[in-house]
Structures are given as C-alpha cells and as structure tokens.
Amino acid sequence: MNRNLSMKQYIKENLPLFIFISVLFVIGVVFGAVMVNALSMEQKQEMTRHLGSFFQEVNDGAEFDSQQSFVQAFGMHMKWLLLIWLFGLSIVGLPLILVLDFLKGVLIGFTVGYLVGQMSWKGMLFALVSVAPQNLIVIPAILFASVAAMSFSIYMIKNRFMSRNGTMYQPFMRYTSITLLMGVFLLGVPYGKDTSHR
C-alpha cells in the first residue's frame, strides 16, 4: 500500500515531466510515420525485399532462436536505459535524454508506418502482433526512466549548483532504484514470441 502510494505521489510530483516526455514521444512517432513518405523508390524496394525475405523464411518454417532473440532485444533496451541513466547524471545530458525519447518515437512510428504503407491491413496486423506487445512494456519503462533522469538532473541544478545545499545520496538512490526497477520490468517483454513460431 505504501509503495503504491509512494509511486502515485512520485507521478503526481513529476506529472509535468511525464506529460512533456509523452508529448515529445508522440511527436517522434508522427515524425517517424511521415518519414516513410520521404523514402526514395529504391529505398522502399530494398526494404521491401528484406521484409519479403523475412516472411519467406517464416513461411518456410525457419527456426528462430527465441533465447538469442530475447538476449539481443533485452540487451538493446538495457543499453537504452543505461544511456538515459548516464545522461541523467549530468546537466549537459539533459537534452540528450529528450533526443533519445524522440528517437524512440521516430523508430516506432517509422516501423509501423512502413508496414502499414507497404502491406495495408496485413501490415497493421503484423505491427499489432509484433511491434505493439513489447512496446506496451518498453515505452512505459523508458518513460519512467527518462522522467527519473530529468528529475534528478533538475534536482542537481537547483540544489547543488544554485543553492549549494541538499544531500545527493537519497535522490541518487531513488533515481538509480527506479532505473533498475524499469530494467526488471523489461524482463516481462514478449521478445520474439509473436513471430518465432508463425
């Protein structure tokens, strides 16, 4: 109960940051989807060829190593969280956190936009079963980690560089704990489960 209350209080205290980063992410998604239209015909054909090869392998019954897929995808997302954590330790890293969140939105928007643009409703269906499930966990994890990083960075600016007071230990431990919690949260992502046996 106390933990849930503490989390609610944390979200309430940092609600402006949550809203700001969420809006930035959505803008990235829209930008990524629009980027699909900027591709040249040769680029679209090349990407379609690679995508077609993937589907052909799946239809032919090619076996995918789900464990290897999990390790690779989990490692990639953990590196993303680690970068956010590192950027949050410095003032100069503050805008880089925003860049990462925007870029994440661009990547997702581009992927879904391309699938829908090239495969119509089949692309939408594929995006729903392959892209959406893992991102239902990944996106909130990155959102929470980003808010924690920005909150800590802002705390450093206010309490260490401006007023020269306030302890760093407790805010740092809370910041690091939230990042580690989001890392554990990522263990629940269905990496490769939707496409490995299709």
Side-chain angles (χ1 to χ4, degrees), residues 42-59:
E42 292 76 13
Q43 290 173 321
K44 288 183 179 180
Q45 290 175 347
E46 182 67 20
M47 293 182 66
T48 300
R49 184 160 53 249
H50 286 297
L51 188 62
S53 298
F54 169 76
F55 283 121
Q56 187 61 46
E57 290 180 5
V58 174
N59 291 331

Side-chain angles (χ1 to χ4, degrees), residues 30-41 43-44 47 109-118:
V30 174
F31 185 79
V34 172
M35 278 181 61
V36 176
N37 297 325
L39 293 175
S40 66
M41 185 60 65
Q43 290 173 321
K44 288 183 179 180
M47 293 182 66
F110 182 85
T111 301
V112 175
Y114 176 78
L115 289 172
V116 174
Q118 296 299 309

Side-chain angles (χ1 to χ4, degrees), residues 157-176:
I157 296 174
K158 289 181 177 180
N159 296 277
R160 301 299 292 178
F161 296 98
M162 290 184 178
S163 59
R164 296 286 182 178
N165 58 24
T167 177
M168 294 294 296
Y169 178 76
Q170 187 174 355
F172 173 77
M173 292 304 298
R174 181 172 68 168
Y175 168 43
T176 302

Side-chain angles (χ1 to χ4, degrees), residues 108 128 130-141 185-186 188-190:
I108 294 176
L128 287 175
S130 63
V131 179
Q134 60 174 285
N135 281 296
L136 288 176
I137 296 178
V138 172
I139 293 173
F185 191 53
L186 288 175
V189 175

